[in-house]
Amino acid sequence: ALHQLYYDPNIENKNLAQKWLMQAQVSPQAWHFSWLLLNMDKVPEIQYFGASALHIKISRYWNDIPADQYESLKSQLFTHITRFASGSKIVLTRLCVALASLALSMMPEAWPCAVADMVRMFQAEDSNVDGRARCLALLELLTVLPEEFQTSRLPQYRKGQVRSVLAQECGSVFPLLEQLLQQQDSPGFIKQKVLKCFSSWVQLEIPLMDCENLIQAAFTSLQDPELFDTAVEAVVNAISQPDAQRYVNTLLKLIPPVLGLQEQLRQAVQSGDMETSHGICRIAVALGENHSRALLDQVEHWQSFLALVNMIMFCTGIPGHYPVNETTSSLTLTFWYTLQDDILSFEPDKQAVYQQVYRPVYFQLVDVLLHKAQFPSDEEYGFWSSDEKEQFRIYRVDISDTLMYVYEMLGAELLSSLYDKLGRLLTNTEQPSTWQHTEALLYGFQSIAETIDVNYSDVVPGLIGLIPRISISNVQLADTVMFTIGALSEWLADHPVMINNVLPLVLQALGNPELSISSVSTLKKICRECKYDLPPYAANIVAVSQEVLMKQIHKTSQCMWLMQALGFLLSALQVEEILKNLHSLITPYIQQLEKLADEAPNPSNKLAIIHILGLLSNLFTTLDISHHDDDHESTEVKKLPVQQGPNPVVVVLQQVFQLIQKVLSKWLNDAQVVESVCAIFEKSVKTLLDDFAPMVPQLCEMLGQMYSTIPQASAIDLTRQLVHIFAHEPAHFPPIKALFLLVTSVTLTLFQQGPRDHPDIVDSFMQLLAQALKRKPDLFLCSNLDVKAVFQCGVLSLKFPEAPTVKASCGFFTELLPRCGEIAPVGQVVHENGKVLLQAVLEGVGGQASRSLMDHFAEILFALNKHCFSYLNVWIKEVMQQDGFPSARVSPEQKETFSQQILSRERVNKRRVKEMVKEFTLLCRGLHGTEYTADY
């Protein structure tokens, strides 16, 4: 089988062999054949399998080993490790892992001084194996021991016990490691192994002071290029363990050796040695980031900590462009967050002292970050790969987040300093600045203005005045100018006289495809925030937008945003103005659509149709003359008089209604086109609410025809929207009621034919039923609604493999069950068929459904308990009597306990019912008490 696995070219045979071998590994015979496979005359691949099988048996089937065989197993492993000390490295490692697993299971009772014994065994003279090979084998064993502990399957209480035993035993390990590092004649590969071993042990939460000598030795090893990487790992792991902050004196002793690395860091930066500068930076950041609070608290040592902070500042500002010439600066960003949090967490007096020391540092940080955020020269940037450009973009976002955070420390003074620098840059005629410099300062401004309320800042008017003075020579700068204007749109709404300073720039940028995203998103923000001040500019904005839409400058999603922008803009105009603009804006598209509606369906005209329908629905998403979305107090004053007559959106929809029907008739089979048609009405209904009423009758009729011909989920979703909004409008509800009954009867027929291929329709249908029960429960009183059939569909839907569908069905039942008392047909169906529902719910809990759905099933049990308690009492006993139900893994006693819990007085506490269900589902799945469920 092993030969087949390693050497057979046929993948089928390989898979068969692997399956068979995996079963062999866990079979009782593995104890026997593992040792045979370890014979010295076998090839390493075969020996490796033998060692792996031993490890699996020891780590997973420990309870199968009789206690009187522990000793012989241990000595056999020792013998084999010694034998392989100068043999195959991969086999040696597996054997060490097996012995480590044995030791962890035996300590402390069955093998009290395991680690000391290991050290002693390997130090004993053995003439067959030379000292170096023995030493390497011992180091390998000592390295894998803590690693095996981290991944072991020991129960929680044993883990704590074994951890403390191992931590005590470091007294047998560390002196040996120190001795090997200090010996002049120790070869490099031994020292490397020693550092790896130390790295492995420090993760066992060993007191930092016990590690002091080895950390110092690791610092010395940093001078040796061969040991550098391993030494960095060792120092970083030792400093970063959570427990280390308790040993403040040791931490203070570590600052001088870290600062001592600055010369080596400078030389590495000068010679372009990225690996070395990266490693040293990791050490400085590990000390600063993990222990800034503890070190700040040592007030008398403030200068040495400040020196460490300045060293990290050097790493943040390391020369070169990220990620091409350096990859170090990004490691330092979280340190600045941590330091700021720690400073701001002190009480006011102490904070004031630290602010005095650290405010200048943070102002310097802003300069450094904006320098690092600068784009390289155009020529250099041209050579970057797309991957490097994307990494640089993400790096700038991280810098932007850091600047926003630093604002909390520096406040308005930060904006003033950025403004002064920008002003000097743009007005200095002696030394013309590079565009990169201007762009970075603007980027800093934009980073803060995007999330911080700058309405009270006295520098924004000046900034808006400076923006038109920027000579825009390239795309990156133009993008940042756009995004900065966008970030200031709320400020512009409060200072409308300044709109004219920047709007022409935005409209000009709309015509440039390279500025598509920034110009369109900025126009959208301005139209949303400042719509009441835009009427004087509306004609111009519409004209420019129309031109770029006709020229097809922008990609689909930007066209959609542009339509949303125009929707906001038109909302603030008088009705006749809106209609005039809508007419000129939409007419070309309507003409296009009329042409497309006459053509035979094909893939290219499908895309064009979806595009036009998308433009209309995005326009109607934001065109809202009743101002439902206005939540700004300031706009109360500007509100326009209430409009008379029909809503402009309704006027347009009525004009194009027949055309849309014509398009639909040809594309009924196509889910995407149907979805795009439904989207127009869904967006309009959501925005217009009651104003949509005149459209209700014809829309209901069209939806009914659509759904009867070819059922699609989007039609049900739109029906749900109508039920939601018009449920309490007696005048408009009859057509919706008729539509609801039609959709229900068509869907019931679909269920008879087999609903498995339509999980989306079933999902939407369940949501529609739940909405109807919530908003208009008396729909269930209609004589032509088959409540029993609907109930049975719900039960079927609970068994679907798609989680969203099951979740929607649970939602339906949690709305239905509370109506048992008030709606007679519902009460009757539940009392007659409730047992089937309970059976389906328990099947899901028993393991048929995903564990993520258990809370939803618990909601049904909770509702059954609350609204049908006397029935539930009988049903649960009956269903639980079935053998192997809901799972063969639970005993009759466990089923009885669960039934009692569900019916107990705790049933009124929803949280407790959810806990009971979670507990029971784990028992049913055979997962109870395994580490697999620890985070469940």
Side-chain angles (χ1 to χ4, degrees):
L2 285 162
H3 271 280
Q4 203 169 322
L5 179 66
Y6 291 125
Y7 308 116
D8 193 320
N10 182 332
I11 193 80
E12 297 268 306
N13 295 348
K14 274 183 188 298
N15 289 343
L16 272 173
Q18 184 172 17
K19 206 168 170 187
W20 186 86
L21 285 164
M22 284 170 79
Q23 288 168 336
Q25 267 186 326
V26 299
S27 68
Q29 294 88 324
W31 286 118
H32 177 62
F33 70 64
S34 300
W35 300 110
L36 298 178
L37 296 179
L38 282 163
N39 276 346
M40 297 312 275
D41 59 352
K42 307 275 187 210
V43 292
E45 291 93 329
I46 287 179
Q47 295 168 332
Y48 177 82
F49 182 81
S52 282
L54 277 174
H55 171 239
I56 284 175
K57 295 300 285 183
I58 293 170
S59 61
R60 296 194 196 165
Y61 299 94
W62 177 249
N63 295 333
D64 298 354
I65 309 172
D68 58 4
Q69 286 180 25
Y70 292 170
E71 285 307 316
S72 70
L73 188 53
K74 182 164 73 179
S75 65
Q76 270 179 295
L77 281 168
F78 268 123
T79 310
H80 276 79
I81 288 173
T82 316
R83 199 174 292 161
F84 277 92
S86 38
S88 161
K89 172 78 182 65
I90 56 166
V91 181
L92 174 66
T93 302
R94 284 329 282 162
L95 287 167
C96 289
V97 172
L99 181 57
S101 185
L102 179 85
L104 294 173
S105 296
M106 286 174 71
M107 43 169 89
E109 295 84 1
W111 191 357
C113 306
V115 181
D117 282 358
M118 291 173 184
V119 175
R120 204 175 48 254
M121 292 281 289
F122 282 94
Q123 283 179 326
E125 282 301 324
D126 184 328
S127 49
N128 301 338
V129 184
D130 83 309
R132 232 170 233 184
R134 275 210 318 279
C135 177
L136 273 174
L138 173 60
L139 287 171
E140 182 62 30
L141 178 57
L142 293 175
T143 306
V144 299
L145 185 64
E147 290 168 359
E148 180 66 8
F149 170 76
Q150 304 290 3
T151 57
S152 69
R153 297 165 170 242
L154 295 171
Q156 214 46 49
Y157 76 95
R158 282 276 295 142
K159 244 187 164 153
Q161 192 183 19
V162 174
R163 186 196 297 278
S164 58
V165 173
L166 283 173
Q168 286 160 11
E169 292 233 26
C170 78
S172 311
V173 181
F174 284 10
L176 169 72
L177 300 183
E178 286 167 36
Q179 180 194 337
L180 287 170
L181 274 181
Q182 282 149 8
Q183 271 174 10
Q184 292 307 311
D185 61 344
S186 281
F189 63 88
I190 293 264
K191 288 185 171 177
Q192 188 130 21
K193 205 77 199 101
V194 168
L195 289 165
K196 278 189 176 151
C197 184
F198 172 52
S199 250
S200 179
W201 275 79
V202 290
Q203 293 177 45
L204 292 170
E205 292 174 23
I206 288 164
L208 193 64
M209 54 194 191
D210 295 347
C211 307
E212 213 173 299
N213 295 347
L214 277 167
I215 295 176
Q216 296 294 355
F219 270 109
T220 314
S221 306
L222 289 167
Q223 302 309 316
D224 180 341
E226 193 191 345
L227 300 176
F228 181 82
D229 290 346
T230 325
V232 168
E233 286 302 327
V235 174
V236 168
N237 284 343
I239 294 175
S240 307
Q241 48 160 323
D243 199 41
Q245 57 202 31
R246 291 178 24 213
Y247 305 95
V248 178
N249 291 335
T250 307
L251 289 172
L252 287 168
K253 282 188 212 168
L254 292 177
I255 295 182
V258 174
L259 295 175
L261 298 170
Q262 287 181 101
E263 190 43 46
Q264 192 180 350
L265 174 62
R266 283 204 176 82
Q267 285 170 0
V269 169
Q270 262 164 0
S271 63
D273 174 357
M274 278 161 75
E275 276 73 23
T276 302
S277 49
H278 197 81
I280 294 174
C281 169
R282 278 185 63 201
I283 291 174
V285 169
L287 184 57
E289 196 177 307
N290 288 297
H291 307 297
S292 65
R293 177 72 202 223
L295 293 169
L296 279 169
D297 270 328
Q298 308 306 305
V299 183
E300 63 281 14
H301 296 278
W302 69 274
Q303 279 158 311
S304 70
F305 183 59
L306 183 58
L308 177 68
V309 172
N310 284 324
M311 180 178 175
I312 295 175
M313 179 78 79
F314 175 80
C315 295
T316 305
I318 209 158
H321 285 289
Y322 181 95
V324 178
N325 324 100
E326 63 91 9
T327 53
T328 299
S329 55
S330 61
L331 300 178
T332 63
L333 297 179
T334 37
F335 163 73
W336 298 108
Y337 284 76
T338 310
L339 178 62
Q340 178 176 312
D341 284 344
D342 289 335
I343 291 171
L344 297 179
S345 69
F346 287 125
E347 66 277 5
D349 301 350
K350 198 169 179 183
Q351 194 178 313
V353 176
Y354 280 109
Q355 286 260 18
Q356 249 177 333
V357 176
Y358 284 100
R359 269 179 81 83
V361 174
Y362 272 87
F363 272 111
Q364 186 194 344
L365 173 68
V366 171
D367 290 344
V368 167
L369 289 175
L370 290 176
H371 182 70
K372 292 296 291 179
Q374 282 187 26
F375 279 88
S377 69
D378 294 334
E379 189 185 3
E380 199 184 327
Y381 194 62
F383 286 114
W384 284 19
S385 70
S386 57
D387 189 38
E388 286 165 341
K389 287 177 178 172
E390 177 58 9
Q391 281 184 321
F392 181 57
R393 186 192 66 76
I394 294 168
Y395 174 68
R396 279 174 44 106
V397 172
D398 292 341
I399 286 180
S400 168
D401 292 344
T402 312
L403 289 170
M404 184 188 80
Y405 205 75
V406 167
Y407 181 84
E408 193 186 346
M409 177 99 154
L410 302 180
E413 208 181 321
L414 170 54
L415 290 177
S416 307
S417 104
L418 289 175
Y419 172 65
D420 292 343
K421 287 186 179 126
L422 191 63
R424 282 201 297 277
L425 208 60
L426 294 174
T427 51
N428 184 349
T429 45
E430 322 280 289
Q431 274 183 311
S433 64
T434 62
W435 71 262
Q436 285 90 340
H437 202 159
T438 310
E439 190 279 335
L441 283 168
L442 264 184
Y443 183 68
F445 227 109
Q446 173 214 323
S447 303
I448 294 159
E450 256 177 347
T451 40
I452 309 280
D453 181 4
V454 292
N455 277 7
Y456 309 103
S457 164
D458 50 359
V459 300
V460 178
L463 175 69
I464 296 265
L466 280 176
I467 285 178
R469 299 185 57 155
I470 298 171
S471 71
I472 297 180
S473 50
N474 85 335
V475 171
Q476 284 91 357
L477 176 57
D479 260 338
T480 303
V481 169
M482 283 302 118
F483 284 128
T484 307
I485 295 172
L488 294 171
S489 55
E490 286 186 35
W491 184 90
L492 287 168
D494 290 340
H495 306 83
V497 289
M498 303 298 268
I499 291 175
N500 205 25
N501 269 29
V502 290
L503 188 60
L505 289 174
V506 180
L507 294 178
Q508 190 189 342
L510 273 184
N512 182 344
E514 291 188 289
L515 303 178
S516 182
I517 291 179
S518 60
S519 62
V520 174
S521 69
T522 297
L523 181 66
K524 182 178 159 184
K525 281 181 177 172
I526 292 176
C527 289
R528 185 181 65 212
E529 300 301 332
C530 315
K531 61 183 173 193
Y532 297 109
D533 304 294
L534 291 179
Y537 314 104
N540 195 7
I541 296 174
V542 172
V544 173
S545 302
Q546 252 181 304
E547 190 186 345
V548 299
L549 283 167
M550 283 296 123
K551 285 186 181 165
Q552 300 187 330
I553 285 175
H554 300 288
K555 292 195 175 139
T556 302
S557 51
Q558 277 68 52
C559 294
M560 303 304 159
W561 291 358
L562 190 49
M563 278 302 204
Q564 288 180 19
L566 294 172
F568 286 125
L569 173 75
L570 298 181
S571 303
L573 303 181
Q574 295 296 333
V575 170
E576 53 277 14
E577 280 296 301
I578 299 178
L579 284 167
K580 202 169 77 188
N581 278 296
L582 276 178
H583 183 70
S584 71
L585 190 59
I586 291 176
T587 303
Y589 292 112
I590 299 304
Q591 289 165 348
Q592 237 177 310
L593 197 57
E594 281 170 340
K595 227 171 83 208
L596 290 164
D598 288 330
E599 294 174 14
N602 68 49
S604 69
N605 61 21
K606 169 180 165 174
L607 286 177
I609 288 172
I610 288 177
H611 181 75
I612 294 172
L613 296 174
L615 292 175
L616 294 177
S617 57
N618 277 281
L619 177 63
F620 298 155
T621 302
T622 53
L623 209 174
D624 176 18
I625 57 170
S626 59
H627 318 299
H628 293 119
D629 64 342
D630 290 345
D631 49 0
H632 303 299
E633 306 78 61
S634 56
T635 54
E636 292 302 317
V637 195
K638 303 177 181 173
K639 271 212 177 162
L640 305 167
V642 177
Q643 311 286 349
Q644 295 305 314
N647 187 297
V649 174
V650 173
V651 173
V652 172
L653 281 176
Q654 284 176 326
Q655 283 167 359
V656 298
F657 197 80
Q658 276 178 307
L659 173 59
I660 289 178
Q661 276 185 300
K662 185 174 174 184
V663 170
L664 251 186
S665 64
K666 284 203 176 167
W667 289 89
L668 255 184
N669 278 320
D670 192 291
Q672 285 167 300
V673 175
V674 171
E675 209 169 299
S676 305
V677 168
C678 290
I680 291 186
F681 294 106
E682 192 173 354
K683 298 279 169 48
S684 310
V685 171
K686 273 185 179 166
T687 312
L688 302 180
L689 301 173
D690 305 342
D691 289 353
F692 188 82
M695 290 293 302
V696 168
Q698 57 202 116
L699 179 59
C700 286
E701 191 185 345
M702 182 179 92
L703 274 175
Q705 287 166 350
M706 266 167 61
Y707 195 74
S708 313
T709 318
I710 294 179
Q712 307 232 4
S714 46
I716 306 187
D717 295 333
L718 182 48
T719 306
R720 185 179 85 232
Q721 208 58 53
L722 292 170
V723 169
H724 176 68
I725 291 168
F726 293 103
H728 300 305
E729 301 279 337
H732 308 305
F733 200 68
I736 297 175
K737 175 179 172 178
L739 174 63
F740 171 78
L741 293 171
L742 176 73
V743 166
T744 303
S745 98
V746 171
T747 313
L748 292 178
T749 313
L750 187 78
F751 262 91
Q752 285 163 353
Q753 294 158 357
R756 268 305 304 115
D757 301 334
H758 308 285
D760 55 335
I761 292 182
V762 175
D763 182 343
S764 296
F765 181 55
M766 289 297 139
Q767 290 186 53
L768 169 65
L769 294 172
Q771 182 70 268
L773 284 160
K774 205 182 283 181
R775 303 280 297 164
K776 195 81 174 157
D778 48 5
L779 279 171
F780 279 70
L781 287 168
C782 301
S783 55
N784 46 356
L785 179 73
D786 187 341
V787 178
K788 183 177 177 180
V790 168
F791 184 90
Q792 286 166 334
C793 291
V795 173
L796 267 179
S797 312
L798 285 177
K799 301 180 184 183
F800 269 49
E802 291 80 7
T805 307
V806 179
K807 187 175 160 189
S809 318
C810 291
F812 160 59
F813 283 114
T814 40
E815 289 296 337
L816 182 84
L817 293 168
R819 309 282 176 203
C820 282
E822 61 194 83
I823 299 176
V826 170
Q828 188 184 347
V829 166
V830 170
H831 298 155
E832 288 169 8
N833 302 274
K835 184 173 151 187
V836 186
L837 170 63
L838 178 65
Q839 172 111 6
V841 168
L842 291 175
E843 273 170 23
V845 173
Q848 294 298 316
S850 153
R851 270 167 53 199
S852 63
L853 293 163
M854 289 309 115
D855 279 358
H856 302 289
F857 281 118
E859 298 261 3
I860 298 183
L861 282 173
F862 180 77
L864 278 169
N865 236 324
K866 193 168 174 184
H867 303 286
C868 325
F869 180 64
S870 53
Y871 288 91
L872 180 64
N873 219 329
V874 178
W875 293 334
I876 200 162
K877 290 193 179 86
E878 290 176 4
V879 294
M880 285 297 202
Q881 272 170 357
Q882 305 167 76
D883 277 348
F885 179 87
S887 154
R889 290 195 178 90
V890 283
S891 65
E893 294 73 37
Q894 288 169 320
K895 294 203 287 191
E896 179 59 25
T897 308
F898 175 65
S899 306
Q900 291 306 327
Q901 281 180 321
I902 287 290
L903 300 168
S904 72
R905 293 169 66 172
E906 285 193 281
R907 68 175 192 272
V908 296
N909 178 340
K910 193 182 283 184
R911 190 179 52 79
R912 267 300 288 135
V913 174
K914 287 181 178 178
E915 283 167 13
M916 295 168 196
V917 170
K918 275 186 179 174
E919 193 82 1
F920 188 61
T921 197
L922 292 177
L923 286 171
C924 290
R925 294 164 199 261
L927 296 173
H928 201 271
T930 60
E931 87 241 36
Y932 180 52
T933 59
D935 55 346
Y936 181 50

